[in-house]
Amino acid sequence: MRQLACWGACLAMLALGGCTTEIGPSSAELKAQWEAQNVYPKSYKQDLLAFLRTYLNDPTHVRGAFVTQPVLKNTGPGERYVVCVRYNARNTDGKYQGSKDGAATYVSGKLDRFFDVPKDVRVFCNKDDKSLAYEPFPELEQLTR
């Protein structure tokens, strides 16, 4: 019986000791890793074009294409480079759907995520944001399949 009590006490100490041990990187290390991935996306237009070529139902004859320069924006856990894009593409029937906005986030200089839900896009591409200046994006208007 005494041995059983000793084993029980040892197991309890191990269980409690496991709760106090910090495993994994600290919050400061996680923040440093996150910020190290904020590399300016030099080929942001090319990455965006490659994505939109496959994303759009009909990537040909896009009208009214505009894009912003990459800007650091808060994306929740920290900042990421964000590019906003506006375009009018055709659907599978060949009809134009009207101007649509999207936002792309970049990690380590490469396109990571594309947001097309208006609620999400408004968070990144707020029309009142003075840091966002849309410029013509003729490369998108000249896409081929």
Side-chain angles (χ1 to χ4, degrees), residues 9-76:
C10 287
L11 284 174
M13 287 175 44
L14 284 172
L16 289 174
C19 292
T20 60
T21 305
E22 186 175 321
I23 298 174
S26 68
S27 60
E29 290 169 326
L30 289 172
K31 184 177 180 186
Q33 287 174 347
W34 179 275
E35 290 177 2
Q37 294 175 332
N38 279 337
V39 176
Y40 186 86
K42 293 178 185 171
S43 61
Y44 69 95
K45 284 185 180 180
Q46 290 80 8
D47 288 350
L48 198 51
L49 287 169
F51 172 77
L52 289 171
R53 180 176 279 120
T54 60
Y55 172 76
L56 297 173
N57 288 324
D58 182 358
T60 62
H61 307 292
V62 173
R63 294 180 181 169
F66 295 91
V67 68
T68 66
Q69 296 281 325
V71 177
L72 278 174
K73 295 255 183 193
N74 189 344
T75 61

